Amino acid sequence: KNEVEQSPQNLTAQEGEFITINCSYSVGISALHWLQQHPGGGIVSLFMLSSGKKKHGRLIATINIQEKHSSLHITASHPRDSAVYICAVEPLNNNDMRFGAGTRLTVKP
Amino acid sequence: DTGVSQDPRHKITKRGQNVTFRCDPISEHNRLYWYRQTLGQGPEFLTYFQNEAQLEKSRLLSDRFSAERPKGSFSTLEIQRTEQGDSAMYLCASSRGQGEKLFFGSGTQLSVL
């Protein structure tokens, strides 16, 4: 079993819909990252969380350390949000970041 | 452009050849990471540097792989005697330190024929 599990694996939405991507992990962590990867490989860091909630524009990320769970929400989704969203965790006392397999989001106009 | 840059963007090589990739991190970043990503999968950690010191190395990294960061600035990743299973995207990232935001390069796509 992968230490970082994301759901769903694939997600198709209509423009304007509210989107939620989930991440569960099984190790103690010092931080969790949400990353966005567009076709062609470029990865952009969206959020780095160690507790609570962060918001940037239409994106919101939350984390529950006790439940070992994080969610990424996209409000008023747009076709340009289409990408792979990857959850990654930094284990406590360890620096080999563990990545989820990613959630492929397609937003249709 | 003051982002993380990687060179080359693409590399095609024959099995058995050696290849070397370069990563130039953001200049004030102490940490530099190498990852490998295959199609449809998330990145896998390979190794990381704190300044010039290589502090951790994944079990995935066989003896054919070596990485250096000689002056704590740019880093190189060398793969000796390449195998077809080495074909992947090799990603470099840098950060100010642990728990800090990561900045990724565009990657080097390696194809071993």
Side-chain angles (χ1 to χ4, degrees):
Chain A
K1 191 178 189 306
N2 197 357
E3 290 168 309
V4 182
E5 296 280 352
Q6 287 186 236
S7 63
Q9 197 170 1
N10 294 283
L11 180 57
T12 300
Q14 287 297 131
E15 184 172 356
E17 284 185 2
F18 180 83
I19 286 161
T20 296
I21 299 170
N22 295 299
C23 175
S24 296
Y25 53 92
S26 57
V27 295
I29 66 168
S30 57
L32 180 143
H33 300 254
W34 279 104
L35 310 170
Q36 180 192 57
Q37 186 170 30
H38 281 284
I43 294 179
V44 174
S45 176
L46 299 175
F47 294 104
M48 194 277 293
L49 292 163
S50 53
S51 65
K53 178 179 174 178
K54 286 190 177 179
K55 184 176 189 294
H56 181 71
R58 296 179 295 107
L59 302 178
I60 303 165
T62 63
I63 188 168
N64 185 318
I65 295 291
Q66 287 73 30
E67 294 186 3
K68 292 187 167 62
H69 181 268
S70 176
S71 293
L72 176 69
H73 305 286
I74 305 175
T75 61
S77 59
H78 190 275
R80 65 174 174 265
D81 297 326
S82 298
V84 175
Y85 292 84
I86 300 170
C87 171
V89 300
E90 292 187 48
L92 285 169
N93 304 318
N94 203 326
N95 291 285
D96 61 335
M97 192 172 290
R98 316 286 170 83
F99 292 81
T103 294
R104 182 174 298 278
L105 171 65
T106 303
V107 181
K108 294 185 175 180
Chain B
D1 183 16
T2 57
V4 178
S5 61
Q6 290 187 246
D7 183 68
R9 287 295 306 274
H10 303 275
K11 179 70 178 178
I12 299 173
T13 192
K14 290 184 179 178
R15 191 176 52 184
Q17 297 294 305
N18 299 344
V19 293
T20 300
F21 311 140
R22 177 178 170 127
C23 171
D24 286 88
I26 293 172
S27 59
E28 64 267 25
H29 284 186
N30 297 322
R31 288 206 169 188
L32 185 148
Y33 302 83
W34 284 101
Y35 301 99
R36 179 173 66 189
Q37 186 177 27
T38 52
L39 201 62
Q41 300 297 315
E44 296 172 304
F45 169 83
L46 293 179
T47 189
Y48 98 97
F49 292 84
Q50 174 78 27
N51 299 312
E52 67 274 11
Q54 186 174 14
L55 295 188
E56 196 144 352
K57 202 171 165 181
S58 167
R59 289 185 300 273
L60 296 173
L61 224 59
S62 76
D63 291 343
R64 298 185 296 107
F65 288 70
S66 62
E68 292 183 342
R69 194 183 183 196
K71 296 181 180 177
S73 56
F74 73 92
S75 175
T76 57
L77 177 69
E78 181 183 16
I79 309 174
Q80 295 182 325
R81 305 180 303 282
T82 51
E83 300 172 358
Q84 287 184 323
D86 298 331
S87 296
M89 174 74 82
Y90 289 83
L91 294 162
C92 176
S94 71
S95 73
R96 292 180 193 274
Q98 186 175 17
E100 297 285 338
K101 189 173 177 179
L102 286 171
F103 292 81
F104 283 82
S106 298
T108 294
Q109 180 68 52
L110 173 66
S111 298
V112 182
L113 305 179

